[in-house]
Amino acid sequence: MNKNVFKSIRIYHGHTQSAFASLLGVSESTVAAIETGRREVSDSVRIKLARQFDINQEFISTLERANKFNF
């Protein structure tokens, strides 16, 4: 998952970085680092995202492809 998809999920659901971090059980600085590309999305965060927002790999792949075209 790239940083843009991660951020898009947060924004779509209307969460601040702080609220998103709380939902995922990580620090706000972790969310900020992911969104700026300083940190990769870990497997544990991917799993938490999938469970929290009912997201599957196909959906993530679609977002990543669309993001390449700036949709």
Coordinates of all heavy atoms in Angstrom, one line a residue:
M1 N 0.9 -1.2 0.0 CA 0.0 0.0 0.0 C 0.9 1.2 0.0 O 1.8 1.3 0.8 CB -0.9 0.0 1.3 CG -1.7 1.2 1.4 SD -2.6 1.3 3.0 CE -3.5 -0.2 2.8
N2 N 0.6 2.2 -0.9 CA 1.4 3.4 -0.9 C 0.8 4.5 0.0 O -0.3 4.4 0.5 CB 1.6 3.9 -2.3 CG 0.4 4.4 -3.0 OD1 -0.5 5.0 -2.4 ND2 0.2 4.1 -4.3
K3 N 1.6 5.5 0.2 CA 1.2 6.6 1.1 C 0.0 7.3 0.7 O -0.8 7.7 1.5 CB 2.4 7.6 1.3 CG 2.7 8.3 0.0 CD 3.9 9.3 0.2 CE 4.1 10.1 -1.1 NZ 5.1 11.0 -0.9
N4 N -0.2 7.4 -0.6 CA -1.4 8.1 -1.1 C -2.7 7.3 -0.8 O -3.7 7.9 -0.5 CB -1.3 8.4 -2.6 CG -0.2 9.4 -2.8 OD1 0.1 10.3 -2.1 ND2 0.5 9.2 -3.9
V5 N -2.6 6.0 -1.0 CA -3.8 5.2 -0.7 C -4.1 5.2 0.8 O -5.3 5.4 1.2 CB -3.6 3.7 -1.1 CG1 -4.6 2.8 -0.6 CG2 -3.5 3.7 -2.6
F6 N -3.1 5.1 1.6 CA -3.2 5.2 3.1 C -3.9 6.5 3.5 O -4.9 6.5 4.2 CB -1.9 5.1 3.7 CG -1.9 5.1 5.2 CD1 -2.1 3.9 5.9 CD2 -1.7 6.3 6.0 CE1 -2.1 3.9 7.3 CE2 -1.7 6.3 7.3 CZ -1.9 5.1 8.0
K7 N -3.4 7.6 3.0 CA -4.0 8.9 3.3 C -5.4 9.0 2.7 O -6.3 9.6 3.4 CB -3.1 10.0 2.7 CG -3.6 11.4 3.1 CD -2.6 12.5 2.7 CE -3.0 13.8 3.1 NZ -2.0 14.9 2.8
S8 N -5.7 8.5 1.5 CA -7.0 8.6 0.9 C -8.0 7.9 1.8 O -9.2 8.3 1.9 CB -7.0 8.0 -0.5 OG -6.2 8.7 -1.3
I9 N -7.7 6.7 2.3 CA -8.6 6.0 3.2 C -8.9 6.8 4.4 O -10.1 6.9 4.8 CB -8.0 4.6 3.6 CG1 -7.9 3.7 2.4 CG2 -8.8 4.0 4.7 CD1 -7.0 2.5 2.6
R10 N -7.9 7.4 5.0 CA -8.1 8.3 6.2 C -9.0 9.4 5.9 O -10.0 9.7 6.6 CB -6.8 8.8 6.7 CG -7.0 9.8 7.9 CD -5.7 10.3 8.4 NE -5.0 11.2 7.5 CZ -5.3 12.5 7.3 NH1 -6.3 13.1 7.9 NH2 -4.5 13.2 6.5
I11 N -8.8 10.1 4.8 CA -9.6 11.3 4.4 C -11.0 10.9 4.1 O -11.9 11.6 4.5 CB -8.9 12.1 3.3 CG1 -7.6 12.8 3.9 CG2 -9.8 13.2 2.7 CD1 -6.7 13.4 2.8
Y12 N -11.1 9.8 3.3 CA -12.4 9.4 2.9 C -13.3 9.1 4.1 O -14.5 9.4 4.1 CB -12.3 8.1 2.1 CG -13.7 7.5 1.7 CD1 -14.4 8.1 0.6 CD2 -14.2 6.5 2.4 CE1 -15.6 7.6 0.3 CE2 -15.5 6.0 2.1 CZ -16.2 6.5 1.0 OH -17.4 6.0 0.7
H13 N -12.8 8.6 5.2 CA -13.5 8.3 6.4 C -13.6 9.5 7.3 O -14.2 9.4 8.4 CB -13.0 7.0 7.1 CG -13.2 5.8 6.3 ND1 -14.5 5.2 6.3 CD2 -12.5 5.0 5.5 CE1 -14.4 4.1 5.6 NE2 -13.2 4.0 5.0
G14 N -13.0 10.6 6.9 CA -13.2 11.8 7.7 C -12.4 11.9 9.0 O -12.8 12.6 9.9
H15 N -11.3 11.2 9.1 CA -10.5 11.1 10.3 C -9.3 12.1 10.2 O -8.7 12.2 9.2 CB -10.0 9.7 10.6 CG -11.0 8.7 10.9 ND1 -11.8 8.8 12.0 CD2 -11.5 7.6 10.2 CE1 -12.7 7.8 12.0 NE2 -12.5 7.1 10.9
T16 N -9.0 12.7 11.4 CA -7.7 13.4 11.5 C -6.6 12.3 11.6 O -6.9 11.1 11.9 CB -7.7 14.2 12.8 OG1 -7.9 13.4 13.9 CG2 -8.8 15.3 12.7
Q17 N -5.4 12.8 11.5 CA -4.3 11.8 11.7 C -4.3 11.3 13.1 O -4.1 10.1 13.3 CB -2.9 12.5 11.5 CG -2.6 12.8 10.0 CD -1.3 13.4 9.8 OE1 -0.6 13.9 10.7 NE2 -0.8 13.3 8.6
S18 N -4.7 12.1 14.1 CA -4.8 11.6 15.5 C -5.8 10.5 15.7 O -5.6 9.5 16.3 CB -5.0 12.8 16.4 OG -5.1 12.4 17.7
A19 N -7.0 10.8 15.1 CA -8.1 9.8 15.3 C -7.8 8.5 14.5 O -8.1 7.4 15.0 CB -9.4 10.4 14.8
F20 N -7.2 8.7 13.3 CA -6.9 7.5 12.5 C -5.8 6.7 13.3 O -5.9 5.4 13.3 CB -6.3 8.0 11.2 CG -6.4 7.0 10.1 CD1 -7.6 6.4 9.7 CD2 -5.3 6.7 9.3 CE1 -7.7 5.5 8.7 CE2 -5.3 5.8 8.3 CZ -6.5 5.2 7.9
A21 N -4.9 7.3 13.9 CA -3.8 6.6 14.6 C -4.5 5.8 15.8 O -4.1 4.7 16.0 CB -2.8 7.6 15.2
S22 N -5.4 6.4 16.5 CA -6.1 5.8 17.6 C -6.8 4.5 17.1 O -6.8 3.5 17.7 CB -7.1 6.7 18.3 OG -6.4 7.7 18.9
L23 N -7.5 4.6 16.0 CA -8.2 3.5 15.4 C -7.3 2.3 15.1 O -7.7 1.2 15.2 CB -9.0 3.9 14.2 CG -10.3 4.7 14.3 CD1 -10.8 5.2 13.0 CD2 -11.3 3.8 15.0
L24 N -6.1 2.7 14.6 CA -5.2 1.7 14.1 C -4.2 1.2 15.2 O -3.4 0.3 15.0 CB -4.4 2.2 13.0 CG -5.2 2.6 11.7 CD1 -4.3 3.2 10.7 CD2 -5.9 1.3 11.2
G25 N -4.3 1.9 16.4 CA -3.4 1.5 17.5 C -1.9 1.9 17.3 O -1.0 1.1 17.7
V26 N -1.7 3.0 16.6 CA -0.3 3.5 16.3 C -0.3 4.9 16.8 O -1.3 5.5 17.1 CB 0.1 3.3 14.8 CG1 0.1 1.9 14.4 CG2 -0.8 4.2 13.9
S27 N 0.9 5.5 16.7 CA 1.0 6.9 17.1 C 0.7 7.8 16.0 O 0.7 7.4 14.8 CB 2.5 7.2 17.6 OG 3.4 7.1 16.5
E28 N 0.4 9.0 16.3 CA 0.1 10.0 15.3 C 1.3 10.3 14.4 O 1.2 10.5 13.2 CB -0.4 11.3 15.9 CG -0.8 12.4 15.0 CD -1.4 13.6 15.7 OE1 -1.7 13.6 16.9 OE2 -1.5 14.6 14.9
S29 N 2.5 10.2 15.0 CA 3.7 10.4 14.3 C 3.9 9.3 13.2 O 4.5 9.5 12.2 CB 4.9 10.5 15.2 OG 5.1 9.4 15.9
T30 N 3.4 8.1 13.6 CA 3.5 7.0 12.6 C 2.6 7.2 11.4 O 3.1 7.0 10.3 CB 3.1 5.6 13.3 OG1 4.0 5.3 14.3 CG2 3.1 4.5 12.3
V31 N 1.4 7.7 11.6 CA 0.5 8.1 10.5 C 1.2 9.2 9.7 O 1.2 9.1 8.5 CB -0.9 8.5 11.1 CG1 -1.7 9.1 9.9 CG2 -1.6 7.3 11.7
A32 N 1.7 10.2 10.3 CA 2.3 11.3 9.6 C 3.5 10.8 8.8 O 3.7 11.2 7.6 CB 2.8 12.4 10.5
A33 N 4.3 9.9 9.3 CA 5.5 9.3 8.6 C 5.1 8.5 7.4 O 5.7 8.6 6.4 CB 6.3 8.5 9.6
I34 N 4.0 7.8 7.6 CA 3.5 7.0 6.4 C 3.0 7.9 5.3 O 3.3 7.7 4.2 CB 2.4 6.0 6.9 CG1 2.9 4.9 7.8 CG2 1.6 5.4 5.7 CD1 1.9 4.0 8.5
E35 N 2.3 8.9 5.7 CA 1.7 9.8 4.7 C 2.7 10.7 4.0 O 2.5 11.1 2.9 CB 0.6 10.7 5.3 CG -0.6 9.9 5.7 CD -1.8 10.7 6.3 OE1 -1.6 12.0 6.3 OE2 -2.8 10.1 6.6
T36 N 3.9 10.9 4.6 CA 4.9 11.7 3.9 C 5.9 10.8 3.3 O 6.9 11.3 2.6 CB 5.7 12.6 5.0 OG1 6.2 11.8 6.0 CG2 4.7 13.6 5.5
G37 N 5.8 9.5 3.4 CA 6.7 8.5 2.7 C 7.9 8.2 3.5 O 8.8 7.5 2.9
R38 N 8.0 8.6 4.7 CA 9.2 8.3 5.5 C 9.1 6.9 6.1 O 10.1 6.4 6.6 CB 9.4 9.4 6.6 CG 9.7 10.7 6.1 CD 10.0 11.7 7.3 NE 9.2 11.5 8.4 CZ 8.2 12.3 8.8 NH1 7.9 13.4 8.0 NH2 7.5 12.1 9.9
R39 N 8.0 6.3 6.0 CA 7.8 5.0 6.6 C 6.8 4.2 5.8 O 5.8 4.8 5.2 CB 7.2 5.2 8.0 CG 7.1 3.9 8.8 CD 6.7 4.3 10.2 NE 6.8 3.1 11.0 CZ 6.9 3.1 12.3 NH1 6.8 4.2 13.0 NH2 7.0 2.0 13.0
E40 N 7.0 2.9 5.7 CA 6.2 2.0 4.9 C 5.0 1.6 5.8 O 5.1 1.6 7.0 CB 6.9 0.8 4.5 CG 8.0 1.1 3.5 CD 7.5 1.5 2.1 OE1 6.5 1.0 1.6 OE2 8.1 2.5 1.5
V41 N 3.9 1.2 5.2 CA 2.8 0.7 6.0 C 3.1 -0.8 6.3 O 3.4 -1.6 5.5 CB 1.5 0.7 5.1 CG1 0.3 0.1 5.9 CG2 1.2 2.1 4.6
S42 N 3.2 -1.0 7.6 CA 3.5 -2.4 8.1 C 2.4 -3.4 7.8 O 1.2 -3.0 7.6 CB 3.9 -2.3 9.6 OG 2.7 -2.1 10.3
D43 N 2.7 -4.6 7.9 CA 1.7 -5.7 7.7 C 0.6 -5.6 8.8 O -0.5 -5.8 8.5 CB 2.3 -7.1 7.7 CG 3.2 -7.3 6.5 OD1 2.9 -6.7 5.5 OD2 4.0 -8.2 6.5
S44 N 1.1 -5.3 10.0 CA 0.1 -5.2 11.1 C -0.9 -4.0 10.9 O -2.1 -4.2 11.2 CB 0.7 -5.1 12.5 OG 1.5 -3.9 12.6
V45 N -0.4 -2.9 10.4 CA -1.3 -1.8 10.1 C -2.2 -2.1 8.9 O -3.4 -1.8 8.9 CB -0.5 -0.5 9.8 CG1 -1.4 0.6 9.3 CG2 0.2 0.0 11.1
R46 N -1.7 -2.8 7.9 CA -2.5 -3.3 6.8 C -3.7 -4.1 7.3 O -4.8 -4.0 6.8 CB -1.7 -4.1 5.8 CG -0.8 -3.3 5.0 CD 0.1 -4.3 4.1 NE 1.3 -3.7 3.7 CZ 1.5 -3.1 2.5 NH1 0.5 -3.1 1.7 NH2 2.6 -2.6 2.2
I47 N -3.4 -5.0 8.2 CA -4.4 -5.9 8.7 C -5.4 -5.1 9.5 O -6.7 -5.4 9.4 CB -3.8 -7.0 9.6 CG1 -3.0 -8.0 8.7 CG2 -4.8 -7.8 10.4 CD1 -2.0 -8.9 9.5
K48 N -5.0 -4.2 10.3 CA -5.9 -3.4 11.1 C -6.8 -2.5 10.2 O -8.0 -2.4 10.4 CB -5.1 -2.5 12.0 CG -4.5 -3.2 13.2 CD -3.7 -2.3 14.0 CE -2.9 -3.1 15.1 NZ -2.1 -2.3 15.9
L49 N -6.2 -2.0 9.1 CA -7.0 -1.2 8.1 C -8.1 -2.1 7.5 O -9.2 -1.7 7.4 CB -6.1 -0.7 7.0 CG -5.5 0.7 7.2 CD1 -4.5 0.9 6.1 CD2 -6.5 1.8 7.3
A50 N -7.7 -3.3 7.1 CA -8.6 -4.2 6.4 C -9.8 -4.6 7.4 O -10.9 -4.6 6.9 CB -7.9 -5.5 6.0
R51 N -9.5 -4.8 8.6 CA -10.5 -5.2 9.6 C -11.4 -4.0 9.9 O -12.6 -4.1 10.0 CB -9.9 -5.8 10.8 CG -9.3 -7.1 10.6 CD -8.8 -7.7 11.9 NE -8.2 -9.0 11.6 CZ -7.3 -9.6 12.4 NH1 -6.8 -9.0 13.4 NH2 -6.9 -10.8 12.1
Q52 N -10.8 -2.9 10.2 CA -11.5 -1.7 10.6 C -12.5 -1.1 9.6 O -13.6 -0.7 9.9 CB -10.5 -0.6 11.1 CG -11.2 0.7 11.6 CD -11.8 0.5 13.0 OE1 -11.3 -0.3 13.8 NE2 -12.9 1.2 13.2
F53 N -12.0 -1.2 8.3 CA -12.7 -0.5 7.2 C -13.2 -1.5 6.2 O -13.7 -1.1 5.1 CB -11.9 0.6 6.6 CG -11.5 1.7 7.6 CD1 -10.2 1.8 8.0 CD2 -12.5 2.5 8.0 CE1 -9.9 2.7 8.9 CE2 -12.1 3.5 8.9 CZ -10.8 3.6 9.4
D54 N -13.1 -2.8 6.5 CA -13.6 -3.8 5.5 C -13.0 -3.6 4.1 O -13.7 -3.5 3.1 CB -15.1 -3.9 5.5 CG -15.6 -5.2 4.9 OD1 -14.9 -6.2 4.9 OD2 -16.7 -5.2 4.3
I55 N -11.7 -3.5 4.1 CA -11.0 -3.3 2.9 C -10.2 -4.5 2.4 O -9.5 -5.2 3.3 CB -9.9 -2.1 3.0 CG1 -10.7 -0.8 3.4 CG2 -9.1 -2.0 1.8 CD1 -9.7 0.3 3.8
N56 N -10.3 -4.9 1.2 CA -9.6 -6.1 0.7 C -8.4 -5.6 -0.3 O -8.4 -4.5 -0.7 CB -10.5 -7.1 0.0 CG -11.2 -6.5 -1.2 OD1 -10.6 -5.7 -1.9 ND2 -12.4 -7.0 -1.5
Q57 N -7.6 -6.5 -0.6 CA -6.4 -6.2 -1.5 C -6.8 -5.7 -2.8 O -6.2 -4.8 -3.4 CB -5.5 -7.4 -1.6 CG -4.2 -7.1 -2.3 CD -3.4 -6.0 -1.7 OE1 -3.2 -6.0 -0.5 NE2 -2.9 -5.1 -2.5
E58 N -7.9 -6.2 -3.4 CA -8.4 -5.7 -4.7 C -8.7 -4.3 -4.6 O -8.4 -3.5 -5.5 CB -9.6 -6.6 -5.1 CG -10.1 -6.2 -6.5 CD -11.3 -7.0 -6.9 OE1 -11.6 -8.1 -6.3 OE2 -12.0 -6.6 -7.9
F59 N -9.4 -3.8 -3.6 CA -9.8 -2.4 -3.4 C -8.5 -1.6 -3.3 O -8.4 -0.5 -4.0 CB -10.6 -2.2 -2.2 CG -11.0 -0.8 -1.9 CD1 -11.9 -0.2 -2.6 CD2 -10.3 -0.1 -0.9 CE1 -12.2 1.2 -2.3 CE2 -10.6 1.2 -0.6 CZ -11.6 1.8 -1.3
I60 N -7.5 -2.0 -2.6 CA -6.3 -1.3 -2.4 C -5.5 -1.2 -3.8 O -5.1 -0.1 -4.1 CB -5.4 -1.9 -1.4 CG1 -6.0 -1.8 0.0 CG2 -3.9 -1.4 -1.4 CD1 -5.3 -2.6 1.1
S61 N -5.5 -2.3 -4.5 CA -4.8 -2.3 -5.8 C -5.5 -1.3 -6.8 O -4.9 -0.6 -7.5 CB -4.9 -3.7 -6.4 OG -4.1 -4.5 -5.6
T62 N -6.9 -1.3 -6.7 CA -7.6 -0.3 -7.6 C -7.3 1.1 -7.2 O -7.1 1.9 -8.1 CB -9.1 -0.6 -7.4 OG1 -9.4 -1.9 -7.8 CG2 -10.0 0.4 -8.3
L63 N -7.2 1.4 -5.9 CA -6.9 2.8 -5.5 C -5.5 3.1 -6.0 O -5.3 4.3 -6.4 CB -7.0 2.9 -4.0 CG -8.3 3.1 -3.4 CD1 -8.2 3.2 -1.9 CD2 -9.0 4.4 -3.9
E64 N -4.6 2.2 -5.8 CA -3.2 2.5 -6.3 C -3.1 2.8 -7.7 O -2.4 3.7 -8.2 CB -2.3 1.4 -5.9 CG -2.0 1.3 -4.4 CD -1.2 0.1 -3.9 OE1 -1.2 -0.9 -4.6 OE2 -0.6 0.2 -2.8
R65 N -3.8 2.0 -8.5 CA -3.8 2.2 -10.0 C -4.5 3.6 -10.3 O -3.9 4.3 -11.1 CB -4.6 1.1 -10.7 CG -3.7 -0.2 -10.8 CD -4.4 -1.2 -11.8 NE -5.8 -1.5 -11.5 CZ -6.2 -2.4 -10.6 NH1 -5.3 -3.1 -10.0 NH2 -7.5 -2.7 -10.4
A66 N -5.6 3.9 -9.7 CA -6.3 5.2 -9.9 C -5.4 6.3 -9.5 O -5.4 7.4 -10.2 CB -7.6 5.2 -9.2
N67 N -4.7 6.2 -8.4 CA -3.8 7.2 -7.9 C -2.7 7.6 -8.9 O -2.3 8.7 -9.0 CB -3.2 6.8 -6.6 CG -2.9 8.0 -5.7 OD1 -2.0 8.7 -6.1 ND2 -3.6 8.1 -4.6
K68 N -2.3 6.6 -9.7 CA -1.2 6.9 -10.7 C -1.7 7.9 -11.8 O -1.0 8.6 -12.4 CB -0.8 5.6 -11.4 CG 0.0 4.7 -10.4 CD 0.4 3.4 -11.1 CE 1.2 2.5 -10.2 NZ 1.5 1.3 -10.8
F69 N -3.1 7.9 -11.9 CA -3.7 8.8 -12.9 C -4.2 10.1 -12.3 O -5.0 10.8 -12.9 CB -4.8 8.1 -13.7 CG -4.2 6.9 -14.5 CD1 -4.4 5.6 -14.1 CD2 -3.5 7.1 -15.6 CE1 -3.9 4.5 -14.8 CE2 -3.0 6.1 -16.4 CZ -3.2 4.8 -15.9
N70 N -3.9 10.3 -11.0 CA -4.4 11.4 -10.2 C -5.9 11.6 -10.2 O -6.5 12.6 -10.3 CB -3.8 12.7 -10.8 CG -2.3 12.7 -10.6 OD1 -1.8 12.4 -9.6 ND2 -1.6 13.2 -11.7
F71 N -6.6 10.4 -10.0 CA -8.1 10.5 -9.8 C -8.4 10.8 -8.4 O -7.8 10.5 -7.5 CB -8.7 9.2 -10.2 CG -8.7 8.9 -11.7 CD1 -8.0 7.8 -12.2 CD2 -9.3 9.8 -12.6 CE1 -8.0 7.6 -13.6 CE2 -9.3 9.5 -13.9 CZ -8.7 8.4 -14.4

